[in-house]
Amino acid sequence: MAEPSLTVRRKSRSGSVRKRSRAPVQPSAVCSPVARKRPSSGGEGLPAETPCSNDSEEDMFGDYDSFYGNDSLLAQVDDVEHKYLQDKNTDIKAAGEIILGNLQSGIHQKKQDYFSASENMVVLKADKEDAFQTNENDPVDSNQELTESILDDLPSSQLLYFEKMDKLSSDSRISPVSERRNKCVNSSSDKIRSLSPFCPDAEHGNRPTDFSSDSKCDLFKTESLKDHLKSAMTGNAKAQTLQVSKTKQLKEAVLSEEICVARKTIESSSVDIGPFYGLPSKVKDLFRQFRGIETLYEWQHDCLMLESLQQRKNLIYSLPTSGGKTLVAEIIILQELLCRQKDVLMILPYVAIVQEKVRGLSSFGIELGFLVEEYAGSKGRFPPIKRRIKKSLYIATIEKGHALVNSLIETERIDDLGLVVVDELHMLGEGSRGATLEITLAKILYTSKNTQIIGMSATLNNVGDLQKFLQAEYYTNNFRPVELKEYVKIRDTIYAVDDKTENGYTFSHLLNFKYSSNLEKADPDHIIALVTEVIPKYSCLIFCPTKKNCENVASMVCKYLKKEFRAHREKEKQDLIKNLKNIGNGSVCPVLKQTIPFGVAYHHSGLTNDERKSIEEAYSTGVLCLLACTATLAAGVNLPARRVILRAPYVANDVLKKNQYKQMIGRAGRAGIDSAGESILIVQEKDKHLVQDLVNSPLENCYSNLLLELTKGMQSLLLSLVGLKIAVTCEEVDNFMCNTLLGVQQQLLSKEKSLSEIIRDGLENLIEKGLLKGRISEKDQDSKCILTITLLGKATYKGSIDLAYCNLLYRELKKGLEGLILESNLHLLYLATPYDMTSNCSPDWMIYLRQFNQLSAAEQKVADIVGVPESFITKKASGQAIRKNVDSAVVNRLYLSFVLYTLLKETNIWSVSEKFNMSRGYVQNLLNSAASFASCVLHFCEELEEFWVYKALLTELTKQLTYCVKTELIPLMEVAGVLEARAKQLYNAGYKTLAHLANANPETLVKMIEHLSRRQAKQIVSSAKMLLSEKAEALQEEVEELLKVPTNIPGTY
């Protein structure tokens, strides 16, 4: 979409208003504003200006001469004025021309050198009709341009004075030249008055300029121009100035005014936008500085220029993986925060991606003055703090995003949320998490008409349903920054994927690699041949069906790689092993110890957070060139590769879905590094038919999961609708449900019962559970009976507790009040152990008995209280028959509590995983889930007065589970991206508090901390500054609230 012709003006101001005219610029239709070169105003012979000019430390105003010091200039002004008063036949307009001419000769020349060197700012004129236009054949064009230039150079006080002079000439004849000058003066003074108070340049308010005809002459006689100038300049000289460098003041003024212009432009819904898509040009510089982004892709420019975005309509956009979708979302987010001054919610699928995004955007927040708040795991405040000045960007997981929206609706602040951005929108169709996402978006659509929703995904099919649900426009493009070549390997033959052929592929070439008989047996799928074509020079990913297969493939490849591979970046690989050893407190995985010297590693959920992060960083920097990974990597952090190999068309025991296939192969090709990316799917003869399905079948449709996930879907939604008073009668609930994705797809998904019947069944079930009160009449379908929520119901939805467990949790908490064992935190840990992890737990009975025997007598009572007697554990360990029935869920939950109890004591995942014979990744996942569930139980207890005793206890326990480190490391681990191993390094180097980190020099950090890149150091410092800023803002809010004078003081009126 081509941009319209723009009238561009550059501004540079300090104290008075100063402008310089520029010729119109006609940008290319396809060139984005990032890449656009702006010509210099100095003429054709001068080189183009660089998009980003660097301010020097030198004072730009050092040799600026004052008006008041120029006695000859004032004398000229005085002479001109007296000459005019003696000549009765000279009209006032002519005098104005003479004065302007003298002013121009005395002032304009003195400043022209300064103007040529001062920093410029690009300002877009939203309305072309405001541009000053003249007739090409008019002989007085040059005079007119000169006059406009003079007026642009004058301070606002002089412009207003000349406006008064114009009004005095109402009875005089008006020449065409005077008319044009009149327009120019009025236009200039209008500019002065129309500046928003948001801009620093709005120094003069509207002043009355209406004078009676009797006083016009007297005014002119008594108030001489010389006196006026003296008065104005003396006042300016006496004005108090801040003790800040003028360069810094100018920078702040430029940024503030650009934000002002951007806000005005966006509010006017014009297609003419500001310097950088309605944002300050500083944003463009930050993208260059932090991301290395010089130009936008053409599709990104087109998408940002969509009419639907200018009109704040909801939008869904879809592009292949690695197409640059996130950058568009980030620019839209910055528009909302800076220009419209509204809060923004960004919903991401996984905790790791939330933390990565918080680190990445904190730098922007520090530079541009907004807050970045993390809502993931146990982190997040409900409701969020209402900020006085700064706006907040909430970055949340699906579950935390839902809780955040609930709290905003409850406190009637949902309209503060200007924008919601959803990444991986296709997750609407994925189980209970999809149901939660659907509920969140439906509530926003229903309760706020001012909140814009932007959804993006690489894999969408039934877009029509999603458009109808979100009331959104749709944009799609097949762009990929790097060409993707898809191949299939069957035996030793490589076929190119071709959807036009019957079987989905055509012959490409044969593998050129000599296999010995031993190697053929060890590697029948020729993986070594495929990887050695690209590594170590380029990177490669191998997606495997299972975690065990990842480790086996990594070991097998290293066993047959040549010794030369060990020499590639050998020292850095040894450093990585050393780092992993520090993470494991002396332990390192034997497989990784064997494979890393060859530049190979595995990546799956069996790794701890610290291990996973270290391996990802090593792969990103090229220290590791090959990762054997599971499908979760494709949906997680961005780790692209030159070649992607799919070990089999399966994920675990399930056939690979088209969506999963597209996500995996989308990792092939690194923008800016590779000219092309390759994907190779390894297929056995018996599975050849699966290739045709993968190539020719469409992407899977996205269907509502509200019915499939009853307790986390439909019933959870109905409970919160009544609790938040969004809908409190059956009729209102029906109206709401029609606006959900289920409402759009009800004919497909609810064939046995109507949607209305499903709703009534759900409401009745909630009443039976004691979560709602009211009466649902079968006979009277139009019943207006008001539904209300019980205290238990309110606690359930505010704590985000699964309805399947809410009554059980209440009973266990109630039972705990009768005899809570507080000698240690074991009893509390049992109450905070997540219910949904018990089904995957298979206790080792000998370990169970050993751990039980190591408990104190008081701690052993916990097992009796929850219903697991010692005799049961003993008999199970000895293999004896059990007559008494014991709830297996309770037994498993207590076993997991033992794991958590040991973990909090030892704070070492490696030793605990060995002690309980569990994978360290499982122990890590248990810890993360327990921290999140403890936070939910805390919110549950806050709503029930009888559980007051749990509030303080669970607050501290949640903190312990979140960080699981020694107390002194917790302040450092609050910073996004700082995990235990890094926190220990920082603490040992002397960085012991958040303030230490926030004020650290990134270059010093790089020197003092091992294995820390410059980029990581900058992100840590930015994240620490952001967190410190958030805490300071929160305290300031508290102070202001305390000092606020109440409006309802008795005895006052």
Side-chain angles (χ1 to χ4, degrees):
M1 185 170 102
E3 286 186 51
S5 176
L6 310 178
T7 302
V8 179
R9 212 176 265 279
R10 296 205 172 199
K11 295 187 180 179
S12 181
R13 303 182 178 211
S14 178
S16 59
V17 180
R18 296 190 284 273
K19 301 181 185 176
R20 183 171 62 180
S21 300
R22 277 186 54 84
V25 178
Q26 183 76 30
S28 166
V30 295
C31 181
S32 70
V34 188
R36 191 174 303 142
K37 300 277 186 182
R38 296 188 176 91
S40 168
S41 58
E44 292 179 8
L46 293 176
E49 293 178 6
T50 55
C52 174
S53 60
N54 296 320
D55 285 329
S56 67
E57 294 301 318
E58 185 181 349
D59 188 354
M60 296 170 65
F61 299 87
D63 53 7
Y64 183 97
D65 293 334
S66 74
F67 285 101
Y68 197 73
N70 190 346
D71 294 330
S72 60
L73 170 63
L74 292 173
Q76 289 177 43
V77 171
D78 206 20
D79 290 343
V80 169
E81 188 176 8
H82 283 297
K83 187 177 179 180
Y84 165 75
L85 290 172
Q86 291 170 3
D87 188 0
K88 303 276 184 165
N89 297 325
T90 307
D91 78 343
I92 293 167
K93 289 278 183 178
E97 288 179 19
I98 297 167
I99 291 167
L100 284 174
N102 281 279
L103 280 173
Q104 191 248 347
S105 63
I107 300 170
H108 192 63
Q109 288 180 9
K110 275 185 171 286
K111 296 194 292 180
Q112 63 185 0
D113 291 338
Y114 161 70
F115 280 134
S116 64
S118 68
E119 176 133 0
N120 296 313
M121 181 186 73
V122 182
V123 175
L124 186 76
K125 304 278 274 195
D127 192 347
K128 290 188 224 169
E129 292 180 5
D130 288 343
F132 183 67
Q133 299 180 0
T134 57
N135 190 330
E136 288 181 4
N137 300 319
D138 198 327
V140 290
D141 269 357
S142 59
N143 291 335
Q144 176 187 335
E145 290 171 7
L146 185 63
T147 305
E148 183 184 18
S149 176
I150 296 163
L151 287 166
D152 279 349
D153 289 339
L154 291 176
S156 55
S157 53
Q158 276 94 310
L159 288 171
L160 291 168
Y161 180 73
F162 286 130
E163 186 179 15
K164 294 177 189 176
M165 291 176 58
D166 281 343
K167 294 200 172 188
L168 297 179
S169 64
S170 57
D171 296 329
S172 304
R173 60 179 180 79
I174 299 175
S175 67
V177 176
S178 299
E179 275 187 26
R180 273 191 295 273
R181 186 178 58 252
N182 218 2
K183 287 179 186 175
C184 184
V185 172
N186 290 337
S187 167
S188 300
S189 61
D190 285 345
K191 289 178 205 169
I192 295 294
R193 283 202 223 105
S194 65
L195 285 173
S196 164
F198 178 79
C199 298
D201 304 312
E203 298 170 359
H204 305 280
N206 291 336
R207 302 180 183 178
T209 55
D210 203 12
F211 302 96
S212 64
S213 57
D214 294 332
S215 63
K216 285 179 186 176
C217 232
D218 292 334
L219 172 73
F220 187 75
K221 288 177 182 177
T222 58
E223 188 181 355
S224 72
L225 178 60
K226 178 178 176 181
D227 290 339
H228 181 83
L229 287 174
K230 281 185 179 181
S231 174
M233 290 185 284
T234 304
N236 289 342
K238 289 179 180 178
Q240 186 175 357
T241 56
L242 294 170
Q243 297 301 311
V244 183
S245 75
K246 291 175 180 176
T247 304
K248 186 174 179 183
Q249 283 181 311
L250 183 63
K251 280 184 176 180
E252 289 174 356
V254 165
L255 176 61
S256 188
E257 183 160 342
E258 286 191 345
I259 291 176
C260 168
V261 172
R263 285 175 68 187
K264 283 183 176 179
T265 305
I266 288 179
E267 285 167 8
S268 68
S269 297
S270 168
V271 291
D272 283 354
I273 51 180
F276 182 66
Y277 299 104
L279 288 164
S281 54
K282 183 177 181 179
V283 174
K284 177 178 66 177
D285 299 335
L286 292 177
F287 275 115
R288 184 187 296 113
Q289 180 184 339
F290 296 143
R291 304 282 178 79
I293 296 172
E294 295 284 346
T295 60
L296 266 66
Y297 298 128
E298 185 179 345
W299 83 263
Q300 292 171 327
H301 170 71
D302 291 345
C303 187
L304 287 166
M305 295 293 290
L306 287 174
E307 192 70 28
S308 54
L309 277 183
Q310 310 302 319
Q311 295 173 3
R312 288 187 55 74
K313 292 181 180 176
N314 296 343
L315 177 70
I316 299 169
Y317 63 98
S318 176
L319 280 98
T321 302
S322 305
K325 297 183 292 297
T326 306
L327 178 59
V328 170
E330 288 174 350
I331 291 173
I332 296 170
I333 286 169
L334 292 176
Q335 286 174 345
E336 196 69 30
L337 290 164
L338 300 180
C339 304
R340 297 191 184 92
Q341 293 288 296
K342 291 279 191 177
D343 296 330
V344 177
L345 169 61
M346 187 177 199
I347 298 177
L348 302 170
Y350 304 110
V351 173
I353 304 177
V354 168
Q355 292 171 342
E356 185 182 36
K357 190 57 68 179
V358 168
R359 290 196 301 273
L361 289 176
S362 288
S363 306
F364 286 85
I366 295 295
E367 293 290 334
L368 298 171
F370 61 87
L371 298 172
V372 179
E373 300 185 41
E374 179 183 344
Y375 279 75
S378 61
K379 293 184 179 179
R381 203 187 287 246
F382 304 102
I385 297 171
K386 189 173 176 65
R387 308 293 181 182
R388 295 169 301 113
I389 301 170
K390 291 185 178 181
K391 296 302 166 186
S392 291
L393 168 58
Y394 310 114
I395 304 181
T397 56
I398 292 170
E399 294 76 15
K400 288 291 180 179
H402 179 222
L404 178 65
V405 167
N406 280 348
S407 68
L408 290 173
I409 293 171
E410 185 177 30
T411 52
E412 298 182 348
R413 286 169 50 195
I414 191 65
D415 282 331
D416 291 347
L417 200 60
L419 174 68
V420 175
V421 173
V422 182
D423 196 8
E424 309 295 353
L425 187 64
H426 62 269
M427 289 199 74
L428 276 168
E430 295 187 14
S432 61
R433 306 194 77 214
T436 304
L437 181 57
E438 180 182 347
I439 292 168
T440 306
L441 295 175
K443 285 177 181 174
I444 293 167
L445 287 164
Y446 195 82
T447 58
S448 175
K449 301 304 176 190
N450 300 319
T451 305
Q452 185 181 19
I453 295 175
I454 306 289
M456 52 181 167
S457 174
T459 53
L460 287 177
N461 189 34
N462 56 332
V463 179
D465 287 351
L466 301 181
Q467 276 186 269
K468 194 172 179 183
F469 165 45
L470 295 176
Q471 302 154 35
E473 303 288 318
Y474 180 57
Y475 176 88
T476 187
N477 196 305
N478 290 323
F479 172 82
R480 266 186 62 90
V482 176
E483 181 189 1
L484 174 62
K485 298 176 181 177
E486 295 179 53
Y487 298 100
V488 175
K489 188 192 87 68
I490 303 173
R491 292 182 180 172
D492 61 349
T493 307
I494 305 292
Y495 298 91
V497 170
D498 186 355
D499 56 4
K500 295 175 184 176
T501 60
E502 186 178 344
N503 56 6
Y505 52 85
T506 56
F507 174 80
S508 175
H509 62 276
L510 292 172
L511 272 179
N512 183 23
F513 190 88
K514 293 180 181 178
Y515 267 75
S516 65
S517 57
N518 288 338
L519 185 54
E520 188 75 44
K521 290 176 184 175
D523 181 24
D525 292 327
H526 308 101
I527 290 173
I528 292 173
L530 295 174
V531 301
T532 50
E533 288 178 352
V534 288
I535 66 168
K537 187 177 179 182
Y538 301 106
S539 56
C540 181
L541 293 175
I542 304 176
F543 284 103
C544 304
T546 64
K547 288 184 282 189
K548 189 63 182 172
N549 193 227
C550 290
E551 297 177 31
N552 291 342
V553 166
S555 296
M556 183 272 295
V557 168
C558 292
K559 190 175 179 181
Y560 293 97
L561 282 178
K562 295 178 181 176
K563 300 296 180 187
E564 289 80 21
F565 282 89
R566 298 178 69 99
H568 181 73
R569 301 181 75 164
E570 186 173 6
K571 183 183 180 302
E572 290 161 286
K573 289 185 284 196
Q574 289 305 318
D575 287 343
L576 175 59
I577 293 174
K578 184 181 172 184
N579 187 34
L580 291 172
K581 199 169 185 177
N582 291 336
I583 288 169
N585 289 331
S587 302
V588 63
C589 171
V591 176
L592 291 176
K593 193 173 183 180
Q594 174 206 349
T595 61
I596 287 175
F598 290 91
V600 179
Y602 65 84
H603 183 290
H604 56 59
S605 61
L607 296 167
T608 66
N609 291 343
D610 280 301
E611 287 175 322
R612 198 179 304 130
K613 188 171 174 61
S614 295
I615 287 171
E616 287 167 0
E617 287 171 0
Y619 178 81
S620 297
T621 54
V623 176
L624 297 176
C625 54
L626 174 65
L627 287 186
C629 52
T630 52
T632 51
L633 185 138
V637 291
N638 186 23
L639 295 175
R642 173 65 172 267
R643 175 175 287 181
V644 170
I645 300 168
L646 280 69
R647 176 77 176 71
Y650 295 96
V651 173
N653 295 320
D654 300 323
V655 175
L656 189 67
K657 294 179 182 176
K658 180 71 173 274
N659 288 355
Q660 292 170 322
Y661 173 72
K662 283 291 184 185
Q663 278 192 322
M664 290 178 186
I665 67 171
R667 296 293 180 205
R670 297 165 299 171
I673 300 173
D674 299 327
S675 56
E678 302 169 339
S679 72
I680 300 174
L681 171 62
I682 299 174
V683 179
Q684 307 301 322
E685 284 284 351
K686 63 182 179 64
D687 293 328
K688 283 200 295 187
H689 65 282
L690 297 176
V691 176
Q692 188 174 355
D693 294 338
L694 274 178
V695 172
N696 295 326
S697 63
L699 292 164
E700 285 79 19
N701 286 333
C702 187
Y703 293 118
S704 170
N705 277 273
L706 288 182
L707 294 182
L708 296 176
E709 301 288 337
L710 267 179
T711 56
K712 288 186 179 179
M714 176 63 84
Q715 290 184 13
S716 175
L717 172 57
L718 295 175
L719 180 66
S720 60
L721 286 180
V722 176
L724 294 167
K725 298 180 181 176
I726 296 172
V728 294
T729 67
C730 288
E731 186 181 353
E732 288 174 351
V733 173
D734 284 345
N735 289 338
F736 180 93
M737 293 303 299
C738 288
N739 294 311
T740 60
L741 182 59
L742 174 61
V744 173
Q745 298 174 334
Q746 58 181 298
Q747 293 182 339
L748 281 172
L749 303 179
S750 56
K751 294 178 180 177
E752 296 178 3
K753 287 184 177 181
S754 69
L755 185 57
S756 184
E757 288 174 318
I758 293 169
I759 291 169
R760 276 159 180 72
D761 289 347
L763 290 171
E764 285 176 351
N765 190 281
L766 293 172
I767 292 170
E768 286 173 19
K769 286 183 177 179
L771 303 175
L772 288 181
K773 288 190 290 187
R775 184 174 55 83
I776 307 297
S777 173
E778 286 291 333
K779 297 177 182 178
D780 185 8
Q781 290 294 318
D782 297 322
S783 171
K784 299 286 184 181
C785 175
I786 302 291
L787 296 165
T788 56
I789 194 164
T790 63
L791 287 174
L792 178 60
K794 188 176 182 182
T796 300
Y797 91 77
K798 292 198 77 172
S800 302
I801 304 295
D802 188 340
L803 269 61
Y805 307 119
C806 63
N807 284 298
L808 176 59
L809 176 63
Y810 178 82
R811 288 195 301 271
E812 289 190 328
L813 289 168
K814 188 81 172 172
K815 190 176 180 181
L817 290 179
E818 297 170 8
L820 190 64
I821 306 295
L822 292 176
E823 183 179 294
S824 71
N825 55 14
L826 178 61
H827 199 167
L828 272 178
L829 278 170
Y830 174 80
L831 296 172
T833 302
Y835 292 102
D836 54 5
M837 291 201 70
T838 57
S839 57
N840 299 324
C841 175
S842 301
D844 183 314
W845 296 106
M846 288 304 296
I847 294 173
Y848 208 146
L849 182 60
R850 191 184 311 129
Q851 290 300 315
F852 181 85
N853 289 332
Q854 288 174 5
L855 300 175
S856 67
E859 288 171 337
Q860 288 181 354
K861 285 182 185 176
V862 175
D864 280 330
I865 290 171
V866 300
V868 184
E870 182 181 359
S871 58
F872 173 82
I873 301 172
T874 306
K875 287 179 179 178
K876 280 297 240 182
S878 61
Q880 296 178 37
I882 308 289
R883 293 180 182 177
K884 186 179 178 181
N885 287 329
V886 177
D887 188 346
S888 62
V890 174
V891 173
N892 291 356
R893 195 163 178 236
L894 183 63
Y895 186 67
L896 294 177
S897 302
F898 285 174
V899 177
L900 291 170
Y901 179 60
T902 311
L903 193 54
L904 288 186
K905 282 200 298 184
E906 298 184 12
T907 67
N908 184 344
I909 289 176
W910 265 91
S911 63
V912 173
S913 64
E914 288 172 3
K915 194 170 285 186
F916 284 88
N917 195 23
M918 293 175 165
S919 78
R920 57 196 186 282
Y922 181 85
V923 175
Q924 176 79 73
N925 187 34
L926 172 64
L927 180 64
N928 295 342
S929 299
S932 184
F933 187 65
S935 172
C936 292
V937 176
L938 171 60
H939 292 305
F940 180 88
C941 291
E942 284 173 341
E943 298 302 319
L944 297 168
E945 197 173 332
E946 61 193 297
F947 294 148
W948 63 271
V949 70
Y950 287 115
K951 293 178 190 176
L953 296 170
L954 286 169
T955 301
E956 186 58 33
L957 184 68
T958 301
K959 198 171 185 179
Q960 289 178 24
L961 288 168
T962 300
Y963 301 111
C964 192
V965 291
K966 292 178 182 176
T967 309
E968 63 265 22
L969 297 180
I970 289 178
L972 300 177
M973 289 189 65
E974 287 180 339
V975 178
V978 176
L979 300 177
E980 183 181 1
R982 185 73 77 207
K984 284 179 180 176
Q985 285 181 310
L986 292 166
Y987 189 86
N988 293 334
Y991 296 95
K992 299 185 177 182
T993 66
L994 185 61
H996 282 155
L997 272 187
N999 294 286
N1001 184 335
E1003 297 299 327
T1004 308
L1005 275 180
V1006 171
K1007 291 174 186 174
M1008 295 182 70
I1009 307 298
E1010 282 188 308
H1011 319 299
L1012 183 69
S1013 70
R1014 189 168 281 99
R1015 175 175 162 273
Q1016 290 164 347
K1018 287 178 179 178
Q1019 285 188 340
I1020 286 173
V1021 172
S1022 292
S1023 297
K1025 282 181 179 176
M1026 178 58 65
L1027 190 57
L1028 202 61
S1029 176
E1030 278 179 41
K1031 291 189 173 188
E1033 284 276 329
L1035 290 171
Q1036 187 65 38
E1037 296 285 346
E1038 203 172 323
V1039 169
E1040 296 220 345
E1041 193 63 33
L1042 284 171
L1043 297 177
K1044 189 191 292 183
V1045 179
T1047 56
N1048 57 347
I1049 301 173
T1052 58
Y1053 301 97

